[in-house]
Amino acid sequence: MTDHRQDFGGQAGDGIGRVRAALATRPRMALTTLPTPLQEASGLREAIGGAQACPRILIKRDDLTSLGLGGNKARKLEYLIADALAKGAHTVITTGAVQSNHARMTAAAARMAGLGCVLVLTSRYDVPRVEGNLLLDYMFGAEVRFVPSENPMLAVGRDEEVVAEVVREEQAAGRTAYVIPVGGSSPIGAIGYVTGTQELVDQLRAMSVAPTRLYFGSGSRGTQAGLTLGAKLSKAPYKLWGVAVSAGEPEKIIRAMNAANDAAALLGVDARVGREDLFTDQNFIGDGYAIPTPLGLESIDLLAKTEAILLDQVYTSKGFSALLAHVRAGEIPPTDTVVFLHTGGMPALFTREFVATRG
């Protein structure tokens, strides 16, 4: 990871100006309430040691993007839905687990754009309980098709077959389908966090703060691709600290690298992302995707009780677990500032699986 801290606080310069101009040429549909707040977590800092032991913690509230109860996918969908409309699509199709945040937000975005939406979701239950994200999928008018699977990470292939079937059905009905990859993880989707990074860097400049790390939960790696390219282009001061929420290395690194570099090509910029830029901490996955961890559950309780901010058990609690563990281990000096990117996901709290973990 290139260290840009020495550049932070200077002028944006012609290079960043060119990036802004390139972003302005991309089709984009306004789906979000921006900028999202950058909030200081002073109560949290006091609870985990105070200024003598804990760094200053800022939380980038991308859980407050407003679309369909918010989350990071909104930034990607602004570009993906715009691309679908530009290509004359009538229906968008995407995949995910039965409690997918991305699926829920895609359904909401499709409704705002006047598009049909088909969600192909993996579920360990033949008839999933209509709760959490799935309840919202139906409320937003999505058609949902289920792919049985005990492990959503092992359903790749079967869900693609169903997607292909839906595409054929749309074509036979004279409609154009637009397929959005799982998590919105594509070059077009990654552009959402190039823009998001510029927003964050502008906020940090206004505060005259140069954080040393940006923590975030990392799943399908589309957000990581955009954040990494965005950090290079915006001369961000921090090291990106992605926290894996599921297995899949090294294929996911390659996926993120390709998405980032293809996004750079779409923007017409010469920055390139290499494997060395794509760090992802593998120490907080626990027993697997969507399975809560003890430190993750503690993180949920801690942030709720100190800041009235809700984390979810799938993504954000695992991302925050890394920050909490590193602070407690003294790995981050108390004189530093760190940022936690809150990527949303709260509807998953209202599911039987999560309630069962609470005893």
Side-chain angles (χ1 to χ4, degrees), residues 137-149:
D137 295 340
Y138 285 123
M139 291 183 71
F140 294 138
E143 175 187 343
V144 182
R145 301 194 188 186
F146 296 107
V147 177
S149 177

Side-chain angles (χ1 to χ4, degrees), residues 101-149:
N101 298 308
H102 164 67
R104 176 249 308 171
M105 298 189 73
T106 299
R111 183 57 48 224
M112 290 184 67
L115 298 172
C117 179
V118 180
L119 305 176
V120 179
L121 306 180
T122 58
S123 172
R124 63 172 57 94
Y125 303 106
D126 292 335
V127 182
R129 193 169 183 171
V130 180
E131 59 188 0
N133 282 304
L134 182 59
L135 171 63
L136 296 174
D137 295 340
Y138 285 123
M139 291 183 71
F140 294 138
E143 175 187 343
V144 182
R145 301 194 188 186
F146 296 107
V147 177
S149 177

Side-chain angles (χ1 to χ4, degrees), residues 249-263:
E249 303 298 324
E251 186 274 333
K252 286 184 175 181
I253 291 179
I254 297 171
R255 182 193 306 172
M257 182 176 66
N258 290 341
N261 289 328
D262 288 348

Side-chain angles (χ1 to χ4, degrees), residues 210-242:
T212 55
R213 294 184 184 183
L214 172 66
Y215 285 85
F216 63 99
S218 189
S220 59
R221 303 302 172 85
T223 297
Q224 184 175 27
L227 287 171
T228 305
L229 178 60
K232 281 181 172 284
L233 296 176
S234 298
K235 299 188 180 296
Y238 45 73
K239 177 176 181 177
L240 288 166
W241 202 281

